[in-house]
Amino acid sequence: MPSYLWQNFLKDSTYTIFIAQKVAQLCDQMKLEQCIEIWPGKWALTKKLISIIDKPLVLLEKDETLLPHLQQYLDAPWNHKIDLIMGDALALDAASLLDKKWWNPLQTVVVGNLPYYITSPLITKFFGWWNAVFPAGVFMVQKEVADKIRSDAEKKSFLWRLLNYQYDVKYLKTVPAKAFSP
């Protein structure tokens, strides 16, 4: 099922497990209580997050064509941990959504496999200087973006400045193209 939003879906469980384990480590180290996943797509990462971090999840999904696929997971026995919000993560006020659930944004990790064309706006929205209410995030981004924002980058991009002054940015791993579909 191709997405009209030009997403590449992570399909290799080696990497979804790796990411979920990193999120679990962050949750333990920073005493984080919940997770927001941006664009869960076909839930490859979501399923691992549910089983590994054992924390409540808010899923922000924009692609309505995925709703029939997502419904099978929402009907699963463990869905009591999940809130699916259909909408554009850039248009939603995530901190306000968390307030309505009585969640503290300062205890929330943000996770996502971000499409290239929207990586900068999403990271800026969730981690910008003026709204840096989230203490941590784990993102799969295109290698060129990761190279620009890692802490030891030679050229200092806008995202480098935005993130490295407030956060401890780490480049964790390169994921090969064959780990995605399409």
Side-chain angles (χ1 to χ4, degrees):
M1 173 187 329
S3 170
Y4 70 95
L5 296 171
W6 306 284
Q7 288 177 274
N8 290 310
F9 299 104
L10 185 60
K11 63 180 182 178
D12 189 325
S13 64
T14 304
Y15 300 103
T16 56
I17 291 169
F18 176 82
I19 294 167
Q21 288 172 336
K22 292 299 176 186
V23 172
Q25 288 171 357
L26 267 177
C27 287
D28 289 345
Q29 291 168 356
M30 299 179 75
K31 310 268 189 275
L32 303 175
E33 296 297 323
Q34 56 271 332
C35 180
I36 293 176
E37 184 181 1
I38 299 171
W39 287 14
K42 297 182 179 180
W43 285 34
L45 177 57
T46 309
K47 290 183 281 187
K48 301 302 182 207
L49 289 170
I50 290 165
S51 66
I52 292 175
I53 68 168
D54 194 34
K55 305 275 184 203
L57 293 166
V58 169
L59 307 174
L60 304 178
E61 179 59 66
K62 179 178 181 176
D63 190 345
E64 292 184 14
T65 65
L66 292 172
L67 196 52
H69 174 79
L70 301 177
Q71 194 60 49
Q72 68 179 311
Y73 297 109
L74 293 172
D75 294 338
W78 37 256
N79 76 345
H80 66 279
K81 291 190 217 176
I82 299 170
D83 281 322
L84 174 64
I85 298 170
M86 295 301 295
D88 185 351
L90 287 172
L92 296 170
D93 181 356
S96 292
L97 288 172
L98 295 178
D99 282 345
K100 289 177 186 172
K101 293 185 61 52
W102 300 96
W103 284 10
N104 181 349
L106 294 173
Q107 294 178 328
T108 305
V109 61
V110 182
V111 182
N113 175 20
L114 304 181
Y116 177 78
Y117 75 96
I118 201 162
T119 299
S120 289
L122 278 170
I123 288 176
T124 301
K125 173 158 180 99
F126 284 86
F127 297 94
W129 290 303
W130 50 92
N131 58 354
V133 295
F134 297 98
V138 177
F139 298 103
M140 172 96 51
V141 298
Q142 189 166 335
K143 186 171 182 344
E144 291 80 9
V145 175
D147 287 342
K148 289 180 184 178
I149 61 176
R150 67 176 200 262
S151 58
D152 62 343
E154 287 183 32
K155 284 186 158 183
K156 308 304 186 228
S157 68
F158 168 75
L159 280 179
W160 184 95
R161 287 175 176 77
L162 181 75
L163 294 173
N164 282 277
Y165 285 122
Q166 299 180 99
Y167 298 96
D168 181 19
V169 176
K170 294 180 183 165
Y171 186 104
L172 298 176
K173 181 180 283 236
T174 299
V175 179
K178 67 182 180 183
F180 297 90
S181 73

